[in-house]
Each structure stands twice: as C-alpha cells, then as structure tokens.
C-alpha cells in the first residue's frame, strides 16, 4: 500500500513559471525524499529532508516539510522543458530503510 | 559501473512462463531493494537485502516471487508461472548505507515485464 499522496496528479505550466507539488502522508516519519522519474533516466533522487527540518534548498528546488500537517511541498523555480517528468515523494517507515511512495505528480513544461 | 544496471530492459513472457530479472548494484553498496511499479503508480516495495541477507520480503506478492543475492552484490528476482497481473516495471535500487539511518537510493532503469 502507498503512504503518500501527491497533489496535483498532473500539472502543465509554461516554461519559466514555477511549479509546486504537494505530498501528504499518513504516519510519522524520520525523513522524506523527493524523486524524479522520466523515461530516459529512470528514478533520480532530488532531495532529502529530515523530520526536524522545515525547509531545504537545492539549486532551483525548494522543499518544505510540515510534520504537524503531515505534508511536504516541492517547488521548482524557473521551470525548464527538461523538468518534464513525474515527481514522487517517498517516506521512510518504522523499519528505517523501506521507502513508501506516493502515486506521483506528472509535470509537463510547455515551451 | 557508474550506476545500477538491470537486465533485460524489456521482457515479454507467455503466461505460465518463468522469468529471471537481474540487478547489478553500485559496487560497495550494502543495501539492495526490489520494487514493482504499475503504470501511473509509484513503486511498491518488494524485498530488501543487506549484503547477502534478505532481511525483508514482506512485499513479495506471492510465493511465485523469489529473490536472491548470494554473494552480496548481483541480485536476481525470479517470478515463476507468470500471470498477467505480474506485468509491471521491476525496479532495483541500491544504497550505500545499511539500516538504521536515512538512505538515498540509486535506481536502475528497470525491467518492463509484459505477460501475455
């Protein structure tokens, strides 16, 4: 079963705009990760945020985590065509190694 | 190699046929994971190895699924008597760390299995 739910399921924006995707989860976590998947490169790790962190940046990516609401958001600024992909959040489980995944947000960047 | 590799990339099997999917993790990575990903869904955990030990196989959907990592590096996922519902992309991932602790998983390109 999947723990996370991404929102929206699909998002289509113009190149240069910002894209925001959200992830909600059900149980307490130690950390949350975001991954990107496209047909050319498979699943690629983007960023990890620990449960005691509220915000993290990596290049054009900004991730926030609100443990009280059991939610996270991924912001991609100044989007590019190459950002077209599906984005997944994954949370660790009690076992501390098993990742539990959402269904993903499909992002399309229009040139 | 530079990353996780999987073979074959595509496999078409007739219902009832046995298949074997191979994963070559990043050299030195302790942890190895198998996931099943249906179309339009996120990956679903199948099984986890720490070196050669299979520590968790709770995600394997039936006893037709079997995984091994005999020397703690290459892993094989075997599906016996394939059924149409086994059609999916099978992803392998490896991680440098062993539990506990957060781990970034490095994924292979996957094997797309189609059962006719």
């Amino acid at each position: 079963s999947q723990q996370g739910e991404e929102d929206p399921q699909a998002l289509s924006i113009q190149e240069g705009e910002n894209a925001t995707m959200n992830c909600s989860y059900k149980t307490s976590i130690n950390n949350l990760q975001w991954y990107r998947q496209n047909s050319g490169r498979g699943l690629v790790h983007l960023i990890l945020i620990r449960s005691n962190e509220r915000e993290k940046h990596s290049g054009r990516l900004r991730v926030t985590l609100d443990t009280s609401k059991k939610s996270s958001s991924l912001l991609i600024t100044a989007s590019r065509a190459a950002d077209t992909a599906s984005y997944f959040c994954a949370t660790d489980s009690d076992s501390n190694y098993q990742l539990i995944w959402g269904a993903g947000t499909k992002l399309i960047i229009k040139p | 190699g530079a990353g996780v590799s999987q073979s074959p990339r595509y496999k078409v099997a007739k219902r009832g046929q046995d298949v074997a999917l191979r994963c070559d993790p990043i050299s030195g990575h302790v942890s190895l994971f198998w996931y099943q990903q249906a179309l339009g869904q996120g990956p679903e955990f199948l099984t986890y190895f720490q070196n050669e030990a299979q520590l968790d196989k709770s995600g394997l959907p039936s006893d037709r699924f079997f995984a091994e990592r005999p020397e703690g590096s290459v892993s094989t996922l075997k599906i016996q008597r394939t059924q149409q519902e086994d059609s999916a992309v099978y992803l392998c991932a490896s991680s440098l760390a062993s539990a506990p602790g957060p781990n970034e998983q490095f994924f292979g390109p996957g094997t797309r299995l189609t059962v006719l």
Side-chain angles (χ1 to χ4, degrees), chain A residues 1-2 31 33 35 37 43 45 48 50 88 95-99 101-103, chain B residues 33 35 37 40-45 48 56 91 100-105 107:
Chain A
S1 61
Q2 297 187 317
N31 62 78
Q33 303 182 46
Y35 285 78
Q37 185 178 40
L43 268 164
H45 179 266
L48 180 151
R50 297 173 190 262
F88 295 90
S95 68
N96 221 10
Y97 59 78
Q98 185 183 137
L99 292 181
W101 301 74
Chain B
F33 306 81
Y35 294 89
Q37 186 176 24
Q41 298 295 314
E44 294 263 7
F45 171 82
Y48 163 65
D56 188 343
L91 297 168
N103 60 92
E104 175 187 347
Q105 297 184 16
F107 282 81

Side-chain angles (χ1 to χ4, degrees), chain A residues 39-95:
Chain A
S39 58
R41 293 192 58 194
L43 268 164
V44 174
H45 179 266
L46 295 177
I47 197 166
L48 180 151
I49 187 166
R50 297 173 190 262
S51 60
N52 61 355
E53 296 176 311
R54 292 295 166 260
E55 186 171 313
K56 204 162 183 179
H57 297 253
S58 177
R60 293 183 297 111
L61 307 180
R62 181 172 80 100
V63 169
T64 63
L65 179 64
D66 186 335
T67 52
S68 66
K69 294 181 180 178
K70 292 188 170 57
S71 68
S72 173
S73 69
L74 170 67
L75 168 67
I76 303 174
T77 60
S79 62
R80 306 168 181 169
D83 295 330
T84 293
S86 291
Y87 291 81
F88 295 90
C89 68
T91 56
D92 65 334
S93 65
D94 289 340
S95 68

Side-chain angles (χ1 to χ4, degrees), chain A residues 17-29:
Chain A
E17 293 179 341
N18 296 341
T20 300
M21 289 159 275
N22 302 296
C23 167
S24 59
Y25 56 91
K26 298 172 186 172
T27 62
S28 62
I29 62 171

Side-chain angles (χ1 to χ4, degrees), chain B residues 6-22 34 76-91 109-116:
Chain B
Q6 292 185 246
S7 62
R9 291 290 309 276
Y10 303 91
K11 177 68 180 178
V12 178
K14 292 182 179 178
R15 190 160 56 109
Q17 190 177 354
D18 297 350
V19 298
L21 312 180
R22 176 188 168 104
W34 282 100
T76 303
L77 176 67
K78 297 179 180 178
I79 309 173
Q80 297 177 322
R81 304 181 303 282
T82 52
Q83 305 291 315
Q84 285 188 320
E85 61 262 28
D86 300 335
S87 296
V89 175
Y90 290 86
L91 297 168
T111 294
R112 182 178 296 276
L113 173 65
T114 303
V115 181
L116 303 176

